[in-house]
Every structure is written in C-alpha cells, then in structure tokens.
Amino acid sequence: MYYHSTRSLQPQVDSAQAVLNGLAPDGGLYVPQQLPDIDVQALLQMDTCAMAETIIGALLPDIPNMDRLVHNAYSGKFTAPDLTPTVQAGDFTVLELFHGPTSAFKDVALCMLPQLLTAARAEKGMQEDILILTATSGDTGKAALEGFKDVPGTKICVFYPHGGVSAVQRAQMATQEGNNVTVLAVEGNFDDTQTGVKNIFATVGNEKTPGGARLSTANSINIGRLAPQITYYFKAYADLLHAGKIQMGEKVNFCVPTGNFGDILAGFLAKKLGLPVGRLVCASNANNVLTDFIETGVYDRRRPLHKTISPSMDILVSSNLERLLYLLSEDTALVAGLMQKLNTEGVYTVPESLHQAIRQEFWAGCCDDEKTRQTIGRVFRQTGYLCDTHTATGWAVAEDYRAETKDPTPMVVLSTASPYKFPAAVLSALEQTDCTDEFMQMDRLQELTGIAIPAPLAAVRAKKERHTEVIAREDMLNKVLHL
Ligand SMILES: *Cc1c(COP(=O)(O)O)cnc(C)c1O
C-alpha cells in the first residue's frame, strides 16, 4: 500500500518506508493513497489485540508479522486485560485509555511504535540504530521512554524543561529504567527545549551520528503512531454492542479531549474504515484555536498560549489537522497552500465547501480551568466517576453538545489520563487543600475517593532516581553526538 504527502502526490513510498520517514520530504504528513477494505462485522467480534492486528496490518501491510508485533507491544504492559476498557458513568460511556505503563493514552500508540519502527527498519535492510529524540512537556516523554526502553536497535533521548513538568511527571522520567535511555532536564521552558531538538535535527539531518545512529522522533505526525489509536474506537463500539446498548449499524458519537488532533483524527479514520460514527466532538481547553476553526473555517494561531491545568492540550498548531484537510478535500495543492499561509502569516481560511464538510463530521467546544475543576467535582459527586483534567474538558464539552443539539445518539467520552497524573488540580477540584507535595496529594485523593492509585504511578515513589542531570540549552547537541 502506498503513501504520499498531504502536500503532493509524489513521491510515493510503501507503508514501511512511511513509518521510517515519519515526515514526508516536503514537510507534509503521510496519507494512504486509498483506505483498505475491512470487514467491520468480523472486526467487532474480535478481542482488542486481534482488532489491533487487523487494523494496523491493513494500514501498514508492508510491515510483516503484525501478530507478533502487537503481542510484543501490549502483552503484560496494561493493567486491563482488554487494554482500553469502557465504563458507564452518568449519561456517558467513558473509554479509559490510561491503563498502560505511564497512565496516559499515549501508551496505546507508543508501546506499538517501537515495534513498527524496528520491523520497518529490518524490512528495509537498514543497518544503523534508530535514535529517538523527544522534547516533552510531560506525557509524551515518559510514554516514549517506556515504549522504547531496551528495544534492540533503538536508543532514546528525552529532553524536558527543568522545573517545567509536574513533580509526578519528573519522578516518572527520573526513575526510568532501561539500557538505551537518556533523560535530560534542560534549563529553559518547553519552547526552548523543542527548539533545541529541532536544531539538532536541522544540524544532523539524515547523516549518521558519531555513534552510528540515525535520528527519528516519537511525535504523533508518524503514521505508525496514528494507526494504533484507531483500534480503541472499534473496541468501544464493540463494548456497547455486546452490552446491548446499541444495535449493529447504529451510530455512536465520540468526544475527544484534543491537542495535536491525533487522537480525534484516529476516530475519523475509524469512521472512514466503516465504523458507524455520528459526530466527532472536539474538546479544547482555554487554547481554543480548534473550536474557532471548526466554527468559522479560519485557523488563527496568532494568539497567546495559555498554560492550563490540562497541559497536554496546551497547543496552538495542531499538526494532524493537516491530514483531515487532505482527507476531506483530496487536494494536495490546496493543503500545501494553506500550510504555507500558516507558516508565513499564522492564519488561513479554508474554502466554504471544505468548511461545510468539516462541520458535518465535527462539532467543537472549549472549557476553561474554572469549568474543568467544577466538572471534576460535580461529576464525582453525581456519578462517582473521577475524571482527570483532560477528560473533564471532554466531559464538559460533551454535555454542551447534548444541551445545544439535543442529539440523543450514545456518547463515548475518551478518558486520556489517570486523575492521579494531575493530583494537584484534581484534588483542588474536590476539596480545599494546602498540601503541595504531589505524592501526598495522591494519597489524599485515594483516601477521599476510594479509587486506587495506578500501580505504576504508586511504584515511582519507591524507585531510585537515575537521571538527574540538568544541562544548558547550548549543550543539547553535544549530548546527542556522544550517545
Ligand atoms: C496528548 C494528550 C491529549 C491530546 O491528544 P492529541 O492526540 O494531541 O490531540 C489529551 N489528553 C492527554 C492526557 C494527553 O496526554
């Protein structure tokens, strides 16, 4: 199966090469030339791993032994046997994506990506090691470290802003085990760190590092990170079907707390592959670029970035939106032009027909920190369900959607992190507190709610810190060259 860029139809590469390349040479994102045919009825009868094998295998057919890769990726790593369970809470079905090694939804894709990358590397006869570089504001770095640790043929180096991540997130990374991992705190903020990583890519490019590796990223622009996320939309639908809540073919809506637009795009791909999806509801925090875009057709990044209590959604340029623009317009010249405008002017407007197509598939809303806290408190009191801050934005926007549209279609809210990853914000939503130690906040939250702290997060506390080095921004390249 061939892939091409969202910005041009040539050159075409096979699916293994698309995974290895990550980004297309013209800066666009890889999209399949045509989507595979999948027997949806059969798929909905499978267990989660068999679903993953079928879906990822259909999208990336040039990567062999998908059954073994899926097994290696997931077996023994998730605390839920079906990986991504659904639970009923109030009027909604919650799809819990946080039962993996780092308690955030990125685990679903980042457990799988190392398997796909190393298999693609073998398929293409590439000899060199792959060195993954990641700048993280918290969640991605840890999930990537867990995914790549001790994977033969790979090394990983994660940079995070010194003082810029939560205490729990820092402890998760500082205690990381594995023989191929490096974790470095960088003096500066997240933007400095990310710029530093971009500069390393610009300097090293496709050359081998002195250590003989080629650089790659674990970022969600890679089709190998997107494909594994499609599975859980089918899984949630199958759960509703088997519980007798819907009949085969009946539509289901999904509400997705959104940042880079990767997760919700996977939902759109599930629909294109034949899953009966009604509306995809895009939830943002105070950084509501996407809400404005879906309502008006104007994407305008020229605004301040707000730091919120749902930090994984603090983003102004949602990379994967580019894939949606292509999939709905099938016009690479149009997409190339829009991305050029975004780059030079910081704003673009899509043609009216494309805007209408987007509005038919998506609905958007946003939720500020105040409303996020209120939602966590109210939902817990009313239903006993404890949302993390990201999930709470989704819940609040799903309620707004229902209130405004009166659409009675069953709604699945995606739960993207454990509430224990953000204990300060979640605890403050439930009670007045002046406790500032995040691990004590976790204990208090457990005492208050009776909901157990996820084992991997509880374990972090007792683990030895292995990575405590803080470096200057100027030293990032030098560090990488010596790996
Ligand atoms: C990354 C992340 C999101 C946003 O997902 P995108 O694919 O970037 O839209 C939402 N919630 C949590 C907890 C995350 O880590």
Side-chain angles (χ1 to χ4, degrees):
M1 176 143 84
Y2 285 93
Y3 279 75
H4 62 77
S5 167
T6 45
R7 302 183 192 178
S8 54
L9 295 171
Q10 300 292 338
Q12 298 185 348
V13 296
D14 72 19
S15 56
Q17 195 65 49
V19 168
L20 275 183
N21 290 1
L23 205 61
D26 60 4
L29 276 55
Y30 282 115
V31 280
Q33 203 181 35
Q34 69 190 51
L35 284 170
D37 276 328
I38 288 185
D39 181 345
V40 173
Q41 301 243 1
L43 193 64
L44 290 170
Q45 302 307 321
M46 297 176 186
D47 67 30
T48 315
C49 282
M51 274 185 191
E53 187 188 319
T54 307
I55 294 167
I56 306 170
L59 279 163
L60 307 174
D62 309 294
I63 298 180
N65 304 321
M66 197 55 73
D67 52 343
R68 188 170 49 80
L69 301 184
V70 168
H71 177 83
N72 290 349
Y74 296 128
S75 116
K77 298 218 187 117
F78 281 63
T79 53
D82 56 351
L83 309 188
T84 54
T86 49
V87 296
Q88 216 47 51
D91 289 340
F92 300 137
T93 299
V94 182
L95 171 57
E96 294 192 335
L97 304 175
F98 57 77
H99 295 284
T102 79
S103 306
F105 98 94
K106 292 188 172 66
D107 287 330
V108 178
L110 282 167
C111 283
M112 194 65 212
L113 182 65
Q115 302 299 327
L116 297 174
L117 262 178
T118 50
R121 167 177 170 268
E123 185 63 19
K124 293 292 171 191
M126 182 178 155
Q127 303 293 324
E128 305 86 24
D129 280 355
I130 297 173
L131 170 55
I132 300 289
L133 297 186
T134 302
T136 184
S137 57
D139 282 346
T140 304
K142 177 62 184 180
L145 285 164
E146 274 300 318
F148 281 92
K149 84 167 175 208
D150 294 331
V151 173
T154 73
K155 294 178 189 167
I156 175 163
C157 178
V158 168
F159 297 99
Y160 68 91
H162 184 48
V165 300
S166 79
V168 173
Q169 287 173 323
R170 194 201 73 85
Q172 276 188 303
M173 290 189 278
T175 58
Q176 179 65 44
E177 292 160 4
N179 289 320
N180 60 343
V181 305
T182 304
V183 179
L184 294 163
V186 178
E187 278 164 3
N189 60 26
F190 174 64
D191 280 337
D192 299 328
T193 312
Q194 191 162 43
T195 306
V197 168
K198 283 187 183 155
N199 289 342
I200 298 171
F201 275 102
T203 309
V204 178
N206 270 334
E207 299 301 309
K208 277 197 253 183
T209 64
R214 298 223 190 251
L215 301 185
S216 185
T217 86
N219 189 287
S220 70
I221 51 176
N222 195 315
I223 188 72
R225 220 185 113 175
L226 201 57
Q229 297 183 1
I230 299 170
T231 307
Y232 46 72
Y233 287 90
F234 283 91
K235 160 69 167 61
Y237 191 93
D239 282 0
L240 287 171
L241 200 61
H242 297 142
K245 293 205 160 60
I246 51 168
Q247 302 291 315
M248 181 64 98
E250 216 177 296
K251 287 194 165 143
V252 169
N253 293 338
F254 290 89
C255 181
V256 188
T258 296
N260 218 4
F261 211 76
D263 201 2
I264 195 167
L265 187 79
F268 182 68
L269 287 172
K271 184 173 185 176
K272 297 281 274 183
L273 290 171
L275 188 70
V277 176
R279 274 298 187 67
L280 289 159
V281 178
C282 174
S284 299
N285 61 22
N287 297 296
N288 58 356
V289 190
L290 286 167
T291 318
D292 291 348
F293 171 67
I294 290 169
E295 274 168 16
T296 65
V298 180
Y299 195 97
D300 191 350
R301 61 163 296 184
R302 299 168 304 175
R303 60 181 87 197
L305 180 71
H306 301 290
K307 214 171 149 50
T308 73
I309 57 172
S310 44
S312 300
M313 295 158 64
D314 290 348
I315 209 161
L316 289 180
V317 177
S318 300
S319 313
N320 268 294
L321 186 61
E322 181 171 347
R323 281 200 173 98
L324 180 71
L325 299 178
Y326 173 77
L327 290 168
L328 286 176
S329 70
E330 298 193 351
D331 184 343
T332 52
L334 172 72
V335 176
L338 295 174
M339 292 304 119
Q340 171 77 16
K341 279 205 139 176
L342 183 64
N343 225 345
T344 53
E345 295 165 34
V347 58
Y348 64 79
T349 305
V350 296
E352 189 47 32
S353 57
L354 178 52
H355 182 217
Q356 284 313 323
I358 293 169
R359 278 176 64 120
Q360 217 154 49
E361 304 282 354
F362 294 85
W363 194 90
C366 55
C367 172
D368 63 14
D369 281 356
E370 167 81 24
K371 189 165 166 180
T372 302
R373 283 205 181 83
Q374 281 170 6
T375 305
I376 294 171
R378 179 172 49 81
V379 171
F380 183 68
R381 286 189 300 275
Q382 287 175 354
T383 73
Y385 193 78
L386 187 64
C387 294
D388 103 287
T389 48
H390 305 75
T391 307
T393 65
W395 190 292
V397 171
E399 286 180 333
D400 290 347
Y401 172 78
R402 275 267 169 90
E404 198 171 307
T405 64
K406 310 280 185 291
D407 180 356
T409 307
M411 175 69 86
V412 177
V413 175
L414 273 62
S415 177
T416 52
S418 159
Y420 288 100
K421 262 205 118 160
F422 304 93
V426 174
L427 184 61
S428 73
L430 299 185
E431 69 175 11
Q432 289 275 338
T433 170
D434 27 76
C435 169
T436 54
D437 178 291
E438 288 196 4
F439 287 101
M440 284 165 75
Q441 289 165 344
M442 271 191 197
D443 288 340
R444 175 63 189 145
L445 206 49
Q446 178 167 259
E447 193 178 280
L448 199 66
T449 63
I451 297 163
I453 303 173
L457 279 181
V460 163
R461 226 165 170 170
K463 280 195 177 162
K464 184 170 130 233
E465 295 211 344
R466 298 157 182 268
H467 311 277
T468 52
E469 196 176 351
V470 182
I471 64 167
R473 247 188 300 165
E474 301 73 51
D475 293 334
M476 290 171 69
L477 175 64
N478 201 26
K479 284 282 174 193
V480 170
L481 295 181
H482 285 90
L483 287 177

